[in-house]
Amino acid sequence: MNETRRAALQAALDDLPLVAILRGVHPDEVEAIFDVLVAEGFRLIEIPLNSPSPWESIERIAARCPDHVVVGAGTVLEPQDCSRLADLGAPLVITPNTDPAVIAEARALDLAPLIGCMTPTEALSAARSGARALKLFPAGKLGTGYFKDVKAVLPAELPVLAVGGIDEHNMDEWVSAGIDGFGFGGSLYKAGRTAEDVGARARVLVAEWRRIKESLDQASELEREADA
């Protein structure tokens, strides 16, 4: 991962940590969907490897990826997939599970492992192995109370993204619980959804994230004024 992509990843995690999960996308439609996602503000985009011809789709979006956007693969289960991502210049390595071998290979190739976990054991193993961020999955089934308990034992500087069952209706609840960002699958893209439909969904999700963050910033400013 070159310095431009490294800076783009950090900026995305700091400012707009929303991952677009394009599970089921076809190569002949991925470029139009990618373009509309970027236009609506998404900076982190993954093609799950259980999609049709996923490597062709990844190659296509990597070739047109602007400097402020980072792309890669989801559902990465094998260490050898990391080499292929490195060759394509697609540094995101997103997994549904915690496999130290995948993390080690991603780090050895200077990629960005965003690692799926559910239990405290998995989360701490991912952290120790060098995960760049954690992906709590399936977040919707686990709930914010579960997340709060797990977060209490995690390194404070390690971002955690909630994935599974998240949309504009429950983002606020998760941010209040301390989550750092989200991955959107079916609430953003489903197989067969047009680029125009995906753009409309993306607009809603980005707007809600910005509304939540603006509300938090205003609340923090009022607190500072009250303490002054």
Side-chain angles (χ1 to χ4, degrees):
M1 184 164 51
N2 62 34
E3 289 302 322
T4 298
R5 292 290 181 231
R6 187 173 289 106
L9 174 63
Q10 188 60 56
L13 291 174
D14 288 342
D15 301 329
L16 200 72
L18 309 178
V19 181
I21 303 168
L22 303 183
R23 189 180 311 280
V25 72
H26 286 259
D28 62 357
E29 63 182 340
V30 72
E31 290 166 300
I33 290 170
F34 175 80
D35 289 348
V36 77
L37 286 170
V38 172
E40 295 299 339
F42 272 82
R43 305 181 196 177
L44 303 169
I45 299 173
E46 69 160 276
I47 308 293
L49 292 182
N50 56 358
S51 301
S53 304
W55 292 109
E56 183 180 349
S57 290
I58 294 169
E59 184 173 8
R60 289 191 181 200
I61 65 172
R64 67 195 295 114
C65 187
D67 287 345
H68 69 288
V69 176
V70 186
V71 303
T75 318
V76 178
L77 301 176
E78 302 297 337
Q80 57 265 33
D81 291 330
C82 296
S83 296
R84 200 162 178 181
L85 287 169
D87 290 342
L88 291 174
L92 286 184
V93 178
I94 304 179
T95 73
N97 63 328
T98 300
D99 185 338
V102 172
I103 301 170
E105 185 67 8
R107 293 304 298 259
L109 294 169
D110 198 22
L111 303 178
L114 277 61
I115 301 302
C117 59
M118 185 175 77
T119 68
T121 299
E122 291 169 337
L124 291 169
S125 174
R128 283 195 302 270
S129 298
R132 181 62 185 80
L134 300 181
K135 173 180 121 177
L136 182 68
F137 175 78
K141 299 292 186 183
L142 297 170
T144 56
Y146 180 87
F147 165 66
K148 287 179 182 178
D149 290 343
V150 173
K151 183 178 175 63
V153 301
L154 297 179
E157 71 279 4
L158 187 62
V160 184
L161 281 60
V163 179
I166 307 296
D167 61 19
E168 69 273 20
H169 302 296
N170 58 359
M171 290 167 66
D172 203 347
E173 174 189 359
W174 280 90
V175 173
S176 296
I179 204 72
D180 299 295
F182 300 101
F184 299 112
S187 60
L188 175 62
Y189 173 81
K190 292 181 180 178
R193 189 170 281 173
T194 67
E196 290 76 14
D197 290 341
V198 175
R201 293 297 309 141
R203 195 173 309 123
V204 169
L205 294 167
V206 170
E208 177 62 5
W209 172 263
R210 289 178 171 152
R211 183 197 68 77
I212 292 168
K213 299 307 287 186
E214 182 178 351
S215 178
L216 290 174
D217 290 344
Q218 290 174 350
S220 296
E221 180 62 27
L222 289 174
E223 277 189 30
R224 285 194 295 270
E225 292 176 357
D227 293 339

